[in-house]
Amino acid sequence: MSDIIHLLPDYLANQIAAGEVVQRPSSVVKELLENAIDARATSVQLIVKEAGKQLVQVVDNGIGMSETDARMCFERHATSKIKSTEDLFRIRTMGFRGEAMASIGAVAQVELKTKPHGAETGTRLLVEGSTVAAQEPAAIAAGTSIAVKNLFYNVPARRNFLKTNAVEMRHILDEFQRVALAYPEVAFTLHHNEVEIFSLPAGKLSQRIVGVFGNNHKEQMAGCEEETPFMSVRGYIGKPEFAKKTRGEQFFFVNNRFIKSGYLNHAVMTAYEGLLPKDSHPFYVLFIDIEPERIDINVHPTKTEIKFEDEKTVYAIVHAAVKKSLGTHNIAPSLDFQSDVNFAPLQPIRMPHGGEGFEKEGTFPGFKVPSSPKKANVNGWEQLYEPLRNGQSVQQEEERITSPSGMGLLDDTFAAPMTTSSKTLQVHHKYLLVQVKSGVMIIDQQAAQERILYEKYMASLQKKMVTSQALLFPQTIELSPADAALVKELRAEFQELGFQFEDFGGNTIILNAIPADVQAANEKELLEELIEQYKNNLATLKLDKRENLARAMAKRLASKLQPRMSDLEMNSLVDKLFGCEVPNYTPGGQKTLVIMELGQLHELFLKG
């Protein structure tokens, strides 16, 4: 048998390695910015064309490289950051694997210009597809300039997977903001298609936060600082009244490296417990400084996930730091320990059958409640509520049920409302009670409105039939660069929903009209919340733009609708809900209704 195992050519091995390191233009931005920071630069310029597809260039005033180092930096696993195994556990630099430049050089045309401080001349190097095309002396300023052109020019299949310019630019802005926040002492600028997006002078962290996210963050920031022998926490948290309905600007940095950690986010959220409105998320930019030996950052190619040696202690210190900050700034309510608290609280009603709730599978004849929100046969729903609409008597209805033609629609477990005079009741302005033969149907008012609005907006987007109401006074809305890029990307979808706006230059738009069924008030807040909800869906779900926007719009408006409803409005809501394709679930999978059977009511009162 002949030998079949062989070494891959360098260019092919580099392209395979590049698949993990360079996924899109923002990956190049991240690696180049981090290299500039590691080179001890105090000024960094990022220049982008066509959302990085045509050009990503980073110019810094760092220490520069010698002629040999310039050549070596494009070799695989060539690095100045570590020299031994022990160094892996003492890492303070952003990069250390020596993969980034080799990976970038394998899938792009790269021009490197660099000169160490004090040297007479620098070096210019051209690399195409892992091959050095030219190397020559050059008269340039001290520091380094790396221009990455025509990304994936030699891997067209990968280039075809890139998204629109607006999408790719949003990812670039995310990476830029993370590095800029981590190093406020470094000046950063960002230009896209020769237009300046950011100009951030060196300064304090608070100034950098305002420079990145806007002046509206000045009044919502509260300082957070805690020093312990184990680690330190510093940064800023947002005041509860400025919390958003979806996750907005939330950043954790460990030794100045941006990380994603649901575990630490939970520590922050529990510190805010009792201070935030329901389903709201605070702003925070928190820096954790800890000995490198206590963490492992070499667990993911992007280095955004790390492992802590003692994560419980880290959790406790972060939680305590945020809690202390909330108390120091008089945000958390004080406790009165002198008050008499010796009272017996009312015990909540415990449901029989193991406390599994009201709903049982198979409760709805002709409509089996699915375990997940999928489309189901709902013909039975409309027929079920015909007695209410047609004024049909109970006797006529029961005759129809027991007749041969009515068999299969209803059974003894579930039947129509008890009387024609049955009315829908509202409980705590949150739930609707509807009497049915099997017991009581309880409808979550907000969830039902969300399902109704979602199907309405999806129909509008598909048919492109929409009505708008012009604003008496057009609203000028200034957005963050990332949100402005997203709005421009979704311009067509926004217009199909009924929004009409025009660019006002920079990151500002003028909102001229909103959907006809939306109350004309706080349009800026509505648009910002809609964008936040869209981004939240984007991070957790794989949806196309139209469905994502319809979900976001439905969720935002349902939360804003007036909770108090008249009898006519309640009955209309019930009718519209059962006119939906999937009436028993919101688009996100939350239940809109449950059934409490008569048997369960009897057991609550110990009857039978």
Side-chain angles (χ1 to χ4, degrees):
M1 179 178 177
S2 60
D3 298 334
I4 59 175
I5 297 177
H6 57 275
L7 287 173
L8 292 174
D10 286 343
Y11 75 90
L12 183 55
N14 286 343
Q15 286 188 5
I16 293 172
E20 286 194 356
V21 179
V22 184
Q23 300 171 355
R24 59 197 332 154
S26 62
S27 306
V28 176
V29 169
K30 174 181 182 293
E31 299 294 347
L32 296 186
L33 289 178
E34 290 181 350
N35 281 346
I37 295 299
D38 287 341
R40 302 195 290 274
T42 58
S43 176
V44 179
Q45 301 176 52
L46 172 60
I47 301 168
V48 177
K49 290 186 179 179
E50 297 299 321
K53 298 174 185 176
Q54 181 179 334
L55 173 69
V56 172
Q57 183 176 8
V58 170
V59 182
D60 67 65
N61 64 348
I63 60 176
M65 289 182 281
S66 67
E67 182 179 352
T68 302
D69 287 345
R71 185 76 174 250
M72 281 295 295
C73 77
F74 288 98
E75 298 294 329
R76 290 186 65 197
H77 309 303
T79 179
S80 62
K81 316 297 172 60
I82 59 175
K83 295 179 180 179
S84 65
T85 304
E86 290 75 19
D87 291 341
L88 273 176
F89 301 97
R90 295 195 294 264
I91 293 172
R92 285 285 185 180
T93 56
M94 293 293 99
F96 59 88
R97 295 196 186 111
E99 294 179 324
M101 293 306 298
S103 298
I104 293 170
V107 292
Q109 298 167 330
V110 183
E111 181 184 35
L112 168 65
K113 295 179 181 179
T114 184
K115 187 180 84 167
H117 288 264
E120 293 184 2
T121 60
T123 302
R124 177 177 177 269
L125 196 69
L126 294 179
V127 177
E128 295 184 4
S130 296
T131 302
V132 177
Q135 181 174 349
E136 59 188 12
I140 57 176
T144 301
S145 169
I146 302 178
V148 179
K149 304 174 184 177
N150 301 322
L151 187 62
F152 300 130
Y153 80 101
N154 55 349
V155 193
R158 290 288 302 278
R159 192 175 180 89
N160 290 339
F161 278 100
L162 296 180
K163 305 299 183 182
T164 63
N165 285 359
V167 174
E168 297 299 342
M169 193 59 200
R170 271 196 299 111
H171 288 285
I172 289 174
L173 287 169
D174 287 342
E175 296 294 349
F176 178 84
Q177 288 174 351
R178 291 166 184 171
V179 177
L181 286 172
Y183 295 92
E185 69 277 10
V186 178
F188 287 91
T189 59
L190 168 58
H191 290 79
H192 181 221
N193 292 339
E194 301 181 356
V195 176
E196 185 180 89
I197 307 298
F198 278 112
S199 179
L200 305 172
K204 300 178 181 178
L205 176 59
S206 58
Q207 295 170 325
R208 180 56 51 89
I209 291 173
V210 171
V212 171
F213 298 118
N215 291 328
N216 60 331
H217 281 67
K218 282 183 180 178
E219 56 186 17
Q220 65 172 288
M221 293 190 299
C224 179
E225 189 167 354
E226 185 69 37
E227 290 280 349
T228 71
F230 182 79
M231 56 175 267
S232 66
V233 179
R234 63 182 176 85
Y236 290 90
I237 61 175
K239 297 177 182 178
E241 61 265 30
F242 294 96
K244 297 182 179 180
K245 285 294 183 182
T246 55
R247 288 180 178 85
E249 296 89 9
Q250 297 181 338
F251 297 86
F252 271 114
F253 297 91
V254 175
N255 294 348
N256 279 36
R257 183 189 303 278
F258 172 78
I259 67 162
K260 298 176 181 178
S261 174
Y263 186 67
L264 294 183
N265 179 71
H266 185 268
V268 175
M269 295 303 293
T270 53
Y272 275 90
E273 193 170 4
L275 301 175
L276 294 174
K278 182 182 177 183
D279 299 327
S280 295
H281 302 273
F283 157 85
Y284 60 78
V285 177
L286 294 176
F287 290 79
I288 296 173
D289 193 37
I290 189 171
E291 290 299 323
E293 294 86 351
R294 299 181 185 272
I295 61 175
D296 182 6
I297 60 177
N298 193 27
V299 295
H300 193 275
T302 62
K303 308 188 202 72
T304 56
E305 299 175 16
I306 67 174
K307 290 184 178 179
F308 293 96
E309 182 182 64
D310 186 356
E311 61 180 10
K312 290 185 178 179
T313 300
V314 175
Y315 181 101
I317 294 174
V318 169
H319 175 86
V322 175
K323 198 78 173 175
K324 176 183 174 183
S325 176
L326 291 171
T328 302
H329 292 84
N330 296 321
I331 297 171
S334 59
L335 298 176
D336 183 3
F337 292 101
Q338 304 300 320
S339 61
D340 183 10
V341 292
N342 295 317
F343 57 86
L346 291 173
Q347 296 297 319
I349 296 175
R350 299 189 180 278
M351 297 304 302
H353 309 303
E356 296 179 356
F358 302 144
E359 184 178 312
K360 290 183 178 179
E361 186 172 271
T363 299
F364 308 101
F367 184 92
K368 182 177 180 181
V369 178
S371 57
S372 60
K374 298 178 179 178
K375 287 190 178 181
N377 175 21
V378 293
N379 293 332
W381 290 104
E382 296 181 358
Q383 299 174 47
L384 176 63
Y385 281 88
E386 284 178 0
L388 274 180
R389 301 186 183 100
N390 302 332
Q392 191 173 339
S393 70
V394 176
Q395 182 178 0
Q396 290 174 322
E397 174 59 14
E398 291 186 347
E399 289 175 358
R400 188 180 72 82
I401 294 169
T402 55
S403 67
S405 61
M407 294 299 290
L409 172 62
L410 301 173
D411 58 17
D412 293 336
T413 306
F414 189 85
M418 294 299 293
T419 66
T420 54
S421 61
S422 295
K423 65 180 294 185
T424 304
L425 300 178
Q426 189 177 34
V427 180
H428 293 296
H429 303 155
K430 291 182 178 180
Y431 301 99
L432 304 181
L433 300 186
V434 183
Q435 182 180 356
V436 292
K437 185 174 182 180
S438 64
V440 178
M441 177 183 292
I442 306 173
I443 298 175
D444 185 318
Q445 183 176 312
Q446 183 174 322
Q449 290 169 330
E450 184 179 341
R451 163 53 65 178
I452 295 166
L453 288 170
Y454 167 73
E455 296 201 5
K456 173 184 176 182
Y457 290 130
M458 280 301 295
S460 296
L461 289 171
Q462 290 168 358
K463 298 177 182 177
K464 297 185 178 180
M465 297 176 59
V466 67
T467 55
S468 302
Q469 56 174 324
L471 297 177
L472 184 60
F473 301 102
Q475 297 289 314
T476 301
I477 301 176
E478 183 178 356
L479 303 168
S480 69
D483 288 349
L486 179 60
V487 167
K488 291 173 184 176
E489 174 195 345
L490 298 173
R491 181 186 294 271
E493 286 74 19
F494 271 113
Q495 290 177 344
E496 289 171 3
L497 281 176
F499 290 94
Q500 294 180 14
F501 59 86
E502 57 186 290
D503 294 335
F504 191 62
N507 301 315
T508 304
I509 63 171
I510 298 178
L511 186 63
N512 296 315
I514 58 176
D517 54 353
V518 176
Q519 185 177 359
N522 298 322
E523 293 83 8
K524 183 178 186 293
E525 180 183 348
L526 170 65
L527 190 61
E528 289 177 344
E529 290 182 348
L530 184 56
I531 293 170
E532 286 295 328
Q533 184 63 44
Y534 182 92
K535 290 191 293 186
N536 189 49
N537 291 346
L538 205 62
T540 56
L541 302 169
K542 299 295 183 183
L543 304 171
D544 64 43
K545 291 190 289 187
R546 289 186 174 187
E547 183 175 356
N548 191 344
L549 196 58
R551 282 194 183 197
M553 188 76 171
K555 192 171 187 66
R556 290 274 60 80
L557 288 188
S559 66
K560 297 292 184 184
L561 292 177
Q562 187 69 21
R564 186 186 296 274
M565 303 179 73
S566 66
D567 291 347
L568 184 62
E569 289 171 331
M570 287 187 286
N571 290 330
S572 174
L573 181 69
V574 174
D575 285 343
K576 289 178 180 178
L577 178 62
F578 294 117
C580 294
E581 288 187 41
V582 185
N584 59 322
Y585 284 98
T586 66
Q590 177 190 343
K591 293 177 183 177
T592 61
L593 57 91
V594 292
I595 295 292
M596 190 173 188
E597 299 176 1
L598 279 174
Q600 291 173 295
L601 287 171
H602 292 328
E603 289 185 30
L604 285 176
F605 295 98
L606 305 179
K607 293 182 178 180

